[in-house]
Amino acid sequence: SSADVLKDAYSALGVEADCTDAELKKAYRKLMSQYHPDKLAGQGVPDEMIKVATERSQEIQAAYDVIKKTRKG
């Protein structure tokens, strides 16, 4: 259901559903900076880790998009 998708999106970002837009954006940015593949590549992280980070950053992006769409409602 869409409620489950939304719930999963919030947990992917590690925030509560009642967080403010500012808290949401802060959590999103923090996670993206942690998992951004280009940043990790620059730090000499192994390819396998970069692959995992790429998948994770895509999840974070998708979760953020879902939440933003529902909040604009």
Side-chain angles (χ1 to χ4, degrees):
S1 75
S2 60
D4 288 338
V5 170
L6 195 56
K7 193 174 150 204
D8 290 345
Y10 281 110
S11 73
L13 295 176
V15 292
E16 298 297 323
D18 61 358
C19 72
T20 65
D21 289 351
E23 289 168 332
L24 175 66
K25 188 177 259 185
K26 187 177 173 188
Y28 164 73
R29 286 190 170 150
K30 183 180 172 200
L31 286 167
M32 284 305 278
S33 78
Q34 267 180 294
Y35 289 101
H36 200 285
D38 294 343
K39 188 174 178 187
L40 295 175
Q43 295 169 352
V45 173
D47 287 348
E48 190 56 36
M49 288 290 293
I50 291 172
K51 185 171 173 276
V52 171
T54 301
E55 288 167 12
R56 183 76 175 104
S57 66
Q58 287 166 348
E59 277 172 31
I60 294 160
Q61 181 69 60
Y64 187 64
D65 290 344
V66 165
I67 295 167
K68 273 185 21 186
K69 277 186 194 129
T70 59
R71 289 191 169 206
K72 282 182 181 155

